[in-house]
Amino acid sequence: MLRTRICLAAMLLAAGLHTASAQTATAPAAATTTEAKPGKVKLTMQKPKDMKAKWAANKPKLKACRADVKSKGLTGDDRWFYIEECMNKT
């Protein structure tokens, strides 16, 4: 019983905040003529796709970079950053 009341109150609060933010946000007519910038999510999703495409195109270099990473014992984000830098080298 208490849980349903809390959920109902949370939904009403969220709906009230959403309605209030929708009323205060106005889109000027000039903003519709400018190009829409890609969102942050699209930018972060595009970079791994580009990296994967570049790495797939140059597998021998990727194999050498992976071996180098393994010999250095890098893990986590350090590993990915090192591979990216290694793939950018000529």
Side-chain angles (χ1 to χ4, degrees), residues 74-90:
L74 298 173
T75 58
D77 288 342
D78 293 334
R79 177 179 182 219
W80 292 110
F81 290 126
Y82 186 84
I83 290 175
E84 183 181 8
E85 289 174 7
C86 180
M87 291 297 288
N88 289 334
K89 291 179 188 174
T90 305

Side-chain angles (χ1 to χ4, degrees), residues 23-85:
Q23 290 174 353
T24 58
T26 59
T32 58
T33 59
T34 61
E35 292 183 21
K37 294 182 182 178
K40 187 175 183 180
V41 173
K42 288 185 180 180
L43 289 175
T44 58
M45 290 302 293
Q46 188 61 36
K47 186 171 180 175
K49 288 179 183 178
D50 293 342
M51 287 170 55
K52 183 178 178 181
K54 182 174 30 172
W55 294 1
N58 200 351
K59 286 190 179 191
K61 192 173 187 179
L62 178 60
K63 187 174 183 179
C65 290
R66 283 184 177 167
D68 196 22
V69 165
K70 191 172 185 177
S71 69
K72 291 187 181 222
L74 298 173
T75 58
D77 288 342
D78 293 334
R79 177 179 182 219
W80 292 110
F81 290 126
Y82 186 84
I83 290 175
E84 183 181 8
E85 289 174 7

Side-chain angles (χ1 to χ4, degrees), residues 16-26:
L17 291 176
H18 177 67
T19 305
S21 66
Q23 290 174 353
T24 58
T26 59

